[in-house]
Amino acid sequence: MAIAAVSGDGDVTFSGSGGTVSIGSLAGNGDLLIQPNTPYASASVSGAVSGNRDIIISAGSLTLSGTANTFTGSISLSGQSTLFIADESRLGNAANTVTMRDGASLN
């Protein structure tokens, strides 16, 4: 599933039994929750991520490929989850924290 842009306040959740979702950009305040029932599901944001937004990945993978990510918040990975980034600028504000546990990976 491809979504051009998501904007506004509120949580954005990717859950279910798998598949792939692509978001062009993500603006506003609220959490980005990647919580599929399988470690083989994937989500990606190709454009900018902005606003006050925690990113929580409990399974599957998330790719942040936008070069203008300015969001402020924490990034938490757990279980069999992976965050793919080309470089640290994809992680948003320099003050953001990244927490990994239970076998999660950052590539």
Side-chain angles (χ1 to χ4, degrees), residues 27-106:
N29 303 314
D31 294 342
L32 172 58
L33 305 162
I34 310 299
Q35 303 173 321
N37 298 332
T38 173
Y40 306 109
S42 64
S44 65
V45 181
S46 59
V49 179
S50 61
N52 294 315
R53 191 164 300 276
D54 290 339
I55 297 176
I56 301 164
I57 310 168
S58 60
S61 66
L62 172 64
T63 300
L64 295 177
S65 56
T67 59
N69 293 335
T70 59
F71 72 95
T72 301
S74 64
I75 301 170
S76 175
L77 295 94
S78 63
Q80 295 181 344
S81 62
T82 304
L83 176 61
F84 293 98
I85 57 169
D87 58 55
E88 67 183 48
S89 70
R90 308 302 201 264
L91 298 174
N93 186 294
N96 291 353
T97 60
V98 177
T99 304
M100 298 170 43
R101 57 181 191 269
D102 301 329
S105 63
L106 176 65

Side-chain angles (χ1 to χ4, degrees), residues 16-35:
S17 53
T20 301
V21 65
S22 299
I23 300 172
S25 63
L26 182 59
N29 303 314
D31 294 342
L32 172 58
L33 305 162
I34 310 299
Q35 303 173 321

